[in-house]
Amino acid sequence: MKITVIGSGYVGLVSGACLADLGNNVLCLDIDPKKIDLLQKGGVPIYEPGLEDVIKRNIAAGRLRYTTDVAESVAHGVIQMIAVGTPSGEDGSADLQYVVAAARAIARNMSEYKVIVDKSTVPVGTADIVREIVQDELDSRGVEIEFSVVSNPEFLKEGAAIEDFNRPDRIVIGAEEERAIKLMREMYAPFQRNHDRLMVMDIKSAELTKYAANAMLATRISFMNELANLAEKVGADIEHVRKGIGSDQRIGYHFLYAGCGYGGSCFPKDIRALQRTGEQFGLPLRILQAVEDVNDSQKKVLLQKITARFGHDLKGKHFALWGLAFKPGTDDMRDASSRVVMEGLWARGATVTVHDPVAMKETHHIYGARTDLHYADTPLDALQDADALIILTEWKAFKSPDFDEVKARLKHHVIFDGRNLFEPSSVIEQGIEYHGIGRENPIEFKIPSLPDFAKSFDSESLVNS
């Protein structure tokens, strides 16, 4: 099939490359000439495991091309897949300016039937907006050309996007015209050979499905983080709790890990956009507001632990940070907990040395040259003369350190583990003070005193009753 992908950001790059890898003829459009030049040479502007190999392979095979020519891109594919960014606006709603621009570009250049596919994460009702824009442009041109609008949300995890695209749990298609549904089925036919993964539904349900999925996952994370904070207060271990509830098949183990908060390009933005949609219809989404509030607070938990241990004035203190990306497998630092922690340390006068396997360049891009920010080539190098180690991303390379070497390099033998990588007892046995999330803590807890009615409890009257 001939497919056009509009936008060469994260979703567009992965979708275009993977569709080409299935044998399709894919042309990707982007208005940034520097990005297109890099891609045409086989380079990749983002970090995603395996993506560079897929791009190079399909460019060499002639199945994948990149262009800045709008007319060429519209003429190329019967399927026009819009995969542009939808950043948060000032009020939290999704900014659709790039989706609107893409729809106008298609309408101004199309000369035959097109299936316009919303691949970007967009609010409910976006397909109606796209359809209206395209029809208005066609009317202004004085032409009658058939077209269809389809919602086809992506469910790609950063760090595992190639695997997610090639082995999807489900493929959601929101469409109402049989011609468009047939073409979408044809495009996704290679995924249907084992069992039917394709779900055809109305467009608005498809648009809401994407937001609902991310909202559910974010809710599970914030729920566990709130329980983790309670676990610390009462002297419980959140990891034991996680295993206890995860064994229930109705709950499962996924997305139940307590930590220092979620980030990235999807969850924070999509939670805010979904809340805004609720407000527009007079229906405040109270659970999602709580999810967001808990997450915002959770990103500050490590700072609270650090100041409880070292004091609020951190002038003269130096900390080592392992992990900068919001999750392993990516260099994405959007809404990352590392940013909250670093900026909080700097505000209190501390300096930091950081290490991340892939996000160092992105860190420098965000913060530039600072005298209170230093970079280390290895995790151990980051520890030299630091007052404590702070772990913010659960990279595999951090999970089995040489604790003797860690102790030798740290000024104080203290670890703040924002991702619960280690068993507290094992670290403490090594002579290291350990502060996890919802786990064993050196600070003693105190069970609240029993209420008055319990103190005056009359067991004899209960037996008699």
Side-chain angles (χ1 to χ4, degrees):
M1 298 182 71
K2 287 188 174 182
I3 302 167
T4 294
V5 178
I6 302 169
S8 292
Y10 184 84
V11 174
L13 284 175
V14 173
S15 299
C18 289
L19 286 168
D21 214 32
L22 293 171
N24 296 296
N25 186 338
V26 179
L27 180 63
C28 295
L29 171 73
D30 200 282
I31 60 173
D32 184 347
K34 291 183 179 178
K35 182 187 290 187
I36 292 299
D37 183 58
L38 173 66
L39 288 164
Q40 287 173 334
K41 295 175 181 176
V44 183
I46 63 170
Y47 178 83
E48 178 61 38
L51 180 58
E52 185 173 353
D53 291 339
V54 178
I55 287 176
K56 286 182 177 178
R57 178 168 65 245
N58 285 280
I59 288 177
R63 294 187 297 264
L64 180 62
R65 295 184 296 119
Y66 296 92
T67 186
T68 57
D69 189 327
V70 175
E72 179 190 11
S73 72
V74 175
H76 176 78
V78 63
I79 292 179
Q80 299 279 312
M81 185 175 289
I82 299 176
V84 296
T86 53
S88 288
E90 291 184 4
D91 63 353
S93 62
D95 185 346
L96 297 178
Q97 63 172 308
Y98 304 114
V99 174
V100 169
R104 289 195 188 283
I106 294 168
R108 288 170 180 172
N109 290 276
M110 62 189 286
S111 59
E112 58 186 354
Y113 175 76
K114 300 292 181 183
V115 180
I116 302 170
V117 180
D118 283 333
K119 193 71 173 172
S120 304
T121 300
V122 293
V124 176
T126 299
D128 291 339
I129 295 172
V130 169
R131 184 179 287 107
E132 183 178 344
I133 288 169
V134 173
Q135 190 59 60
D136 285 347
E137 288 291 340
L138 294 177
D139 291 344
S140 68
R141 290 173 57 193
V143 296
E144 291 185 13
I145 304 172
E146 289 187 50
F147 68 94
S148 300
V149 179
V150 170
S151 175
N152 176 214
E154 54 84 16
F155 299 97
L156 305 176
K157 298 188 297 291
E158 290 190 50
I162 304 296
E163 176 73 12
D164 286 347
F165 194 98
N166 289 327
R167 293 176 176 81
D169 296 323
R170 74 288 204 199
I171 300 166
V172 173
I173 303 294
E176 294 156 7
E177 293 146 338
E178 208 46 55
R179 187 177 181 183
I181 294 171
K182 182 178 178 181
L183 284 166
M184 296 302 289
R185 284 191 181 278
E186 182 182 344
M187 184 174 73
Y188 284 116
F191 303 109
Q192 302 295 93
R193 289 171 183 161
N194 185 29
H195 64 273
D196 190 1
R197 294 179 170 87
L198 199 139
M199 301 178 183
V200 179
M201 59 184 71
D202 65 277
I203 292 176
K204 290 183 178 179
S205 293
E207 291 172 330
L208 184 56
T209 295
K210 168 63 178 180
Y211 279 112
N214 280 352
M216 175 60 76
L217 296 174
T219 299
R220 287 168 69 95
I221 293 171
S222 281
F223 174 75
M224 287 305 289
N225 282 336
E226 194 152 55
L227 284 185
N229 297 334
L230 177 61
E232 285 191 19
K233 296 291 185 182
V234 303
D237 188 323
I238 196 62
E239 272 297 290
H240 295 164
V241 175
R242 178 185 69 82
K243 293 172 183 175
I245 65 174
S247 60
D248 187 326
Q249 293 182 358
R250 297 168 299 175
I251 298 173
Y253 293 102
H254 296 299
F255 279 79
L256 289 184
Y257 290 93
C260 51
Y262 62 75
S265 62
C266 294
F267 286 5
K269 173 177 72 71
D270 292 354
I271 292 295
R272 289 191 288 268
L274 190 52
Q275 285 178 268
R276 180 58 179 158
T277 297
E279 291 169 4
Q280 289 171 343
F281 286 87
L283 184 66
L285 302 179
R286 292 168 293 174
I287 290 177
L288 295 190
Q289 183 61 59
V291 168
E292 185 176 28
D293 291 344
V294 168
N295 191 59
D296 289 343
S297 297
Q298 196 68 16
K299 290 181 179 180
K300 301 169 186 172
V301 164
L302 283 181
L303 282 172
Q304 294 165 2
K305 292 175 180 290
I306 292 165
T307 55
R309 174 62 175 77
F310 290 100
H312 288 276
D313 184 355
L314 298 176
K315 290 177 183 176
K317 298 296 182 183
H318 181 69
F319 297 92
L321 270 66
W322 283 2
L324 298 163
F326 85 93
K327 62 176 283 188
T330 180
D331 62 351
D332 195 342
M333 290 182 62
R334 284 173 286 186
D335 280 301
S337 300
S338 62
R339 299 179 65 169
V340 175
V341 172
M342 280 193 293
E343 291 166 13
L345 292 174
W346 292 331
R348 292 164 175 79
T351 58
V352 300
T353 296
V354 301
H355 174 80
D356 187 285
V358 301
M360 304 276 265
K361 183 177 179 181
E362 181 64 16
T363 306
H364 192 271
H365 174 74
I366 295 170
Y367 293 110
R370 299 178 57 116
T371 57
D372 48 11
L373 171 61
H374 310 281
Y375 299 91
D377 293 331
T378 70
L380 289 176
D381 287 346
L383 302 177
Q384 198 62 46
D385 296 326
D387 288 283
L389 165 62
I390 306 168
I391 301 173
L392 295 161
T393 314
E394 60 271 36
W395 287 97
K396 289 182 180 179
F398 302 158
K399 292 183 177 180
S400 299
D402 182 338
F403 285 111
D404 288 336
E405 192 66 31
V406 170
K407 288 171 61 179
R409 300 194 181 213
L410 284 176
K411 190 181 296 183
H412 301 286
H413 302 157
V414 183
I415 294 177
F416 296 93
D417 185 356
R419 298 301 175 185
N420 287 345
L421 294 190
F422 312 129
E423 276 299 318
S425 58
S426 299
V427 179
I428 294 168
E429 285 174 4
Q430 299 275 351
I432 298 174
E433 184 180 320
Y434 180 81
H435 301 262
I437 304 293
R439 309 209 69 186
E440 295 179 24
N441 195 301
I443 300 173
E444 292 184 2
F445 66 92
K446 184 178 181 181
I447 297 294
S449 58
L450 293 173
D452 291 339
F453 78 85
K455 291 179 180 178
S456 59
F457 179 70
D458 185 349
S459 57
E460 184 176 350
S461 63
L462 178 61
V463 172
N464 292 336
S465 67

